[in-house]
Amino acid sequence: MEEHEYDFFMDMQYESIYILQNKPPKDELLNASNIKKYNEGWGRKGDKVFIALKENHPVGAVWYRLFDENNQGYGFVDDHTPELGIAVLPEYRAQGIGRILMDAAIHQAQLDGYKALSLSVDPENAGALRLYNHLGFKYYGVSGTSWTMKLDFSK
């Protein structure tokens, strides 16, 4: 990734964190001990990111990363299932961009040989839940106040 793409990716990681009120500033939130695992050392084996462009401007991103038992993400299922994150700029939502990004990530994860993808979602985020359910993600459990959902490719 080029530097401007990485900067946008960090913006999207911040945007993906569903906090409606009193959301901490980007640098503070992304560097919090429970969040920085999602971006620290980005580019390690298995890390993937796709950035959506509209008229040559980035408007959204989807990514996935593997975690393990000793360093679990909020959507952790097991150490063989990448955890997915997604965000689209507010002014570009409800235009199908999230679906296109998710389809690309799902396809790539299958090409990479993964059997499933997982994610974490706030159950109050109705738009995201609609998309994930439509794509076949199923409720898997709870982590804090968020749901863990899993898409199993073998079913």
Side-chain angles (χ1 to χ4, degrees):
M1 258 191 292
E2 294 181 25
E3 188 174 337
H4 72 280
E5 292 171 316
Y6 183 78
D7 291 343
F8 180 76
F9 173 48
M10 290 298 98
D11 290 345
M12 292 296 90
Q13 282 210 351
Y14 178 72
E15 191 66 35
S16 75
I17 301 168
Y18 190 76
I19 300 174
L20 295 179
Q21 295 179 349
N22 303 317
K23 189 171 185 176
K26 179 179 140 186
D27 287 340
E28 180 183 328
L29 187 56
L30 293 183
N31 288 304
S33 61
N34 59 328
I35 300 294
K36 69 180 177 179
K37 68 180 84 186
Y38 288 97
N39 59 62
E40 196 169 47
W42 186 264
R44 67 186 192 198
K45 187 178 186 321
D47 288 351
K48 295 285 187 207
V49 63
F50 294 92
I51 296 175
L53 301 175
K54 191 161 188 172
E55 298 172 2
N56 285 329
H57 297 306
V59 297
V62 66
W63 57 92
Y64 58 79
R65 171 173 253 196
L66 282 171
F67 294 98
D68 62 35
E69 285 286 335
N70 299 319
N71 186 29
Q72 296 182 14
Y74 286 102
F76 182 80
V77 170
D78 60 47
D79 59 358
H80 302 291
T81 303
E83 185 176 337
L84 182 141
I86 183 171
V88 175
L89 291 172
E91 61 270 28
Y92 292 96
R93 292 180 188 157
Q95 298 179 26
I97 295 168
R99 172 66 189 254
I100 292 167
L101 284 166
M102 291 291 286
D103 286 344
I106 291 165
H107 180 71
Q108 185 62 52
Q110 290 172 314
L111 290 176
D112 289 346
Y114 295 113
K115 304 291 185 223
L117 281 171
S118 68
L119 54 82
S120 175
V121 61
D122 186 308
E124 300 295 318
N125 190 342
L129 279 174
R130 250 189 326 278
L131 175 61
Y132 303 151
N133 284 320
H134 182 76
L135 291 168
F137 281 83
K138 303 292 184 210
Y139 175 85
Y140 187 82
V142 175
S143 178
T145 59
S146 296
W147 290 358
T148 299
M149 297 183 81
K150 182 180 177 187
L151 176 64
D152 195 337
F153 302 143
S154 62
K155 293 184 180 180

